[in-house]
Amino acid sequence: MQEATHDETHAALNTVFREEAGRLVGALVRILGDFEVAEEIVQDALLVALERWTVEGIPAQPGAWLLTVARRRAIDQLRRDARYRDKLVALEYPVVAEPDDRLRLMFTCCHPALSRETQVVLTLRAVCGFTTAEIAHAFLVSESAMARRLVRARHKIMQAAIPYRVPRAEELDERLGEVLAVLYLMFNEGYLASGGSSPARRDLAEDAAWLAAFVTRLYPREPEALGLLALMRLHLARAEARFDTRGKLILLSEQDRSRWDRRMITEAVAMIEQASTLGRPGPYQVQASLVACHAEAASWQATDWPQILALYDLLLQMMPSPVVRLNRAVALRYVAGPETALTEVEALARDLDGYHLFHAIRGELLLELGRCEQGRAAELRALTLTDNQAEQSLLRYRLSSA
Amino acid sequence: MKYVLMFCGRTPQEVARWEATSEEARAQRDARVGEWFAEYRSKIGGAVQLQAAYATTSVHFTTDGRPLITDGPFLEGTEVIGGYAEIDVADLDEALQMAKTWPAGGVEIRPVVSSDRS
């Protein structure tokens, strides 16, 4: 099999899994009333498909194919289980997916009674149809460890009776916030790690953006959902320009801006404007506006730093975190100079000592101010704190040329 | 769906602070607790309030199986169980709703093993 064909098959498989898995799990949870059984049956069907389709090709109606396999497995498995005997009858008929199934499923996976990381892995598995192996790979843990974790998560959903439903209006803000936080984490996991050593893996960032688009279709009047989708699209629009041909990270200031996807940027900016007309500003909208500022600048030199600084001030009011302050300090460097920025950065030493970007930014400012020895020490410290290969090689490059 | 709500009791520091609060403030909180129980009466199977942690005695077993008696709870944590209530509700969201409106501190929600489910 040729490399390109292999990749194409994989891309097609991913698209089908993403389209069908959540819908199928959702329908089965509704019919069986059992998240655990439904999720396992569909995962089994996906594994069968993965094996067969890579050899035989993807069938004309992949959804129906998966449903047939899943239903057959369900009947097989449930025949031995008295609790589901009557539900088997329902499964003999074609399973009709209700439009809300995938949404309910998403709210179950992102229930606040589950830890953030569990929410992410469950969403990947049940909603996006990732296999356990793919998730384990994405989170750099062994497949058996990830399998154990997924088993515990499914047990908790069943034993603690986490409901399968769309939350009531008065809970929606909080619950949608959980979903958006999960999608953002999923996106970052994919986006930041994309320079890693494994280009063949399924792209978490693409799936996160796809789900964010799904959420905005269902909740078109939720400005933070729009903001998050715009933020993701603005990053994705520039993804191509982030790495050179050898997979080395290229800094924003050095990127070839003609490689940015202008159309995607324009659409994302329109989305931010649409969100702002709803009159409820929030952190995702502000972060999207920040990224838009960079994306719309014709060159690094043309960047509107005062505007970026103002947006960081706004973000800091909404999310008073040391990481936001650190990023604000970078904008401050271009408005008020490296000396002022360094003072601001130094004030964060206690909170961010374990964060590699703190040391990288501090190092850069020190080097700029001619304090080379301290600067190199800070950059070395940053190097020891990151596992990401692309970031490591960038830091090494900076050290060698400093 | 049955759960046990375990109410966080007062740590020694909190007991001291509690004793320093006014008669009136204490009565107000007791009244709010009473209202809470009244509101959810139909969901609550049984409830128990426990004496403070200092009244606890624990029995541990040594590696060779000998019982060992100590003064105080198993874990000298910042949070101790001050009481519990058995509830029967539709799902976790309903249990969470009850826990969020509990007027006297943190709540741990534990599902109960039921006989009709493996």
Side-chain angles (χ1 to χ4, degrees), chain A residues 34 83 111 113 158-163 165 174-175, chain B residues 1 3 90-93 96-97 100 111 116-118:
Chain A
D34 189 320
R83 282 181 290 155
H111 196 277
M158 291 310 293
Q159 289 171 356
I162 290 177
R165 77 162 102 81
E174 186 201 333
R175 296 292 305 277
Chain B
M1 188 67 201
Y3 303 86
D91 53 38
L92 186 61
D93 280 357
L96 278 166
Q97 177 55 30
K100 283 187 203 164
D116 60 315
R117 278 201 67 99
S118 50

Side-chain angles (χ1 to χ4, degrees), chain B:
Chain B
M1 188 67 201
K2 287 196 172 76
Y3 303 86
V4 168
L5 301 186
M6 295 196 271
F7 306 116
C8 267
R10 281 169 234 131
T11 58
Q13 296 90 328
E14 280 170 331
V15 170
R17 215 180 308 141
W18 180 242
E19 279 164 356
T21 56
S22 70
E23 199 67 39
E24 200 194 336
R26 273 194 258 180
Q28 265 178 16
R29 189 159 102 159
D30 287 349
R32 283 206 304 275
V33 168
E35 278 163 25
W36 186 88
F37 273 104
E39 188 186 342
Y40 295 113
R41 196 195 328 260
S42 65
K43 318 274 182 198
I44 298 168
V48 161
Q49 188 181 1
L50 302 173
Q51 295 289 3
Y54 62 75
T56 309
T57 310
S58 302
V59 178
H60 313 252
F61 290 90
T62 60
T63 42
D64 55 350
R66 271 184 313 114
L68 196 70
I69 298 168
T70 57
D71 180 5
F74 282 130
L75 294 167
E76 291 282 1
T78 48
E79 279 157 339
V80 290
I81 302 300
Y84 60 85
E86 254 188 83
I87 60 166
D88 197 347
V89 291
D91 53 38
L92 186 61
D93 280 357
E94 206 180 336
L96 278 166
Q97 177 55 30
M98 287 177 72
K100 283 187 203 164
T101 53
W102 171 248
V107 183
E108 191 173 308
I109 305 169
R110 292 283 285 269
V112 171
V113 177
S114 64
S115 45
D116 60 315
R117 278 201 67 99
S118 50

Side-chain angles (χ1 to χ4, degrees), chain A residues 5 35 40 124 137 162 190 246-247 257 302:
Chain A
T5 331
F35 179 90
E40 247 170 31
L124 286 172
H137 187 83
I162 290 177
R246 285 173 306 157
R257 295 184 182 219

Side-chain angles (χ1 to χ4, degrees), chain A residues 60-130:
Chain A
Q61 286 184 295
W65 194 100
L66 284 169
L67 179 61
T68 307
V69 174
R71 190 200 282 129
R72 210 179 291 144
R73 294 238 155 182
I75 291 171
D76 243 20
Q77 195 171 332
L78 300 182
R79 196 161 271 150
R80 288 169 249 125
D81 196 325
R83 282 181 290 155
Y84 297 108
R85 212 163 273 152
D86 49 342
K87 285 170 182 159
L88 269 178
V89 180
L91 268 180
E92 302 287 354
Y93 296 95
V95 177
V96 181
E98 286 182 8
D100 265 3
D101 275 339
R102 187 154 46 196
L103 184 65
R104 287 190 204 120
L105 187 65
M106 201 146 79
F107 279 114
T108 301
C109 293
C110 300
H111 196 277
L114 300 164
S115 75
R116 180 73 77 227
E117 205 165 313
T118 301
Q119 293 173 336
V120 173
V121 297
L122 269 179
T123 303
L124 286 172
R125 204 141 120 168
V127 187
C128 301
F130 277 61

Side-chain angles (χ1 to χ4, degrees), chain A residues 148-167:
Chain A
R148 272 197 304 278
R149 176 171 204 159
L150 283 161
V151 166
R152 273 201 302 273
R154 289 198 302 259
H155 280 340
K156 173 152 185 190
I157 289 179
M158 291 310 293
Q159 289 171 356
I162 290 177
Y164 174 67
R165 77 162 102 81
V166 174

Side-chain angles (χ1 to χ4, degrees), chain A residues 179-361:
Chain A
V179 170
L180 298 183
V182 165
L183 298 186
Y184 191 36
L185 195 72
M186 196 197 277
F187 182 85
N188 281 335
E189 196 63 44
Y191 188 71
L192 296 176
S194 57
S197 55
S198 49
R201 63 176 263 207
R202 194 170 156 183
D203 191 347
L204 274 72
E206 292 277 350
D207 276 81
W210 177 81
L211 271 179
F214 170 73
V215 171
T216 57
R217 271 202 305 281
L218 291 165
Y219 294 107
R221 303 196 54 79
E222 288 297 331
E224 280 293 86
L226 285 168
L228 178 59
L229 179 59
L231 177 60
M232 291 175 175
R233 293 261 170 90
L234 285 165
H235 281 305
L236 290 175
R238 301 174 304 152
E240 289 281 298
R242 282 175 77 221
F243 296 98
D244 68 13
T245 46
R246 285 173 306 157
K248 232 171 69 191
L249 201 61
I250 306 173
L251 284 177
L252 183 60
S253 53
E254 318 279 317
Q255 281 173 21
D256 173 4
R257 295 184 182 219
S258 69
R259 290 177 67 199
W260 292 358
D261 185 337
R262 286 285 153 203
R263 214 187 60 163
M264 208 195 272
I265 291 170
T266 310
E267 281 170 9
V269 170
M271 219 180 282
I272 298 171
E273 281 159 10
Q274 189 194 335
S276 71
T277 61
L278 295 166
R280 279 178 291 149
Y284 294 121
Q285 293 168 75
V286 176
Q287 287 175 85
S289 305
L290 270 165
V291 180
C293 258
H294 284 297
E296 287 188 305
S299 66
W300 175 252
Q301 289 73 22
T303 308
D304 185 354
W305 290 107
Q307 170 69 8
I308 288 177
L309 187 61
L311 285 166
Y312 269 120
D313 286 337
L314 188 60
L315 187 61
L316 206 53
Q317 278 172 27
M318 294 171 174
M319 277 192 341
S321 87
V323 172
V324 175
R325 265 186 82 184
L326 179 70
N327 291 327
R328 182 185 168 276
V330 176
L332 193 62
R333 183 248 163 273
Y334 295 99
V335 176
E339 194 87 56
T340 316
L342 185 62
T343 313
E344 180 68 11
V345 169
E346 302 276 6
L348 299 166
R350 228 182 20 184
D351 289 324
L352 296 178
D353 190 51
Y355 185 46
H356 70 281
L357 288 180
F358 165 77
H359 297 283
I361 289 167

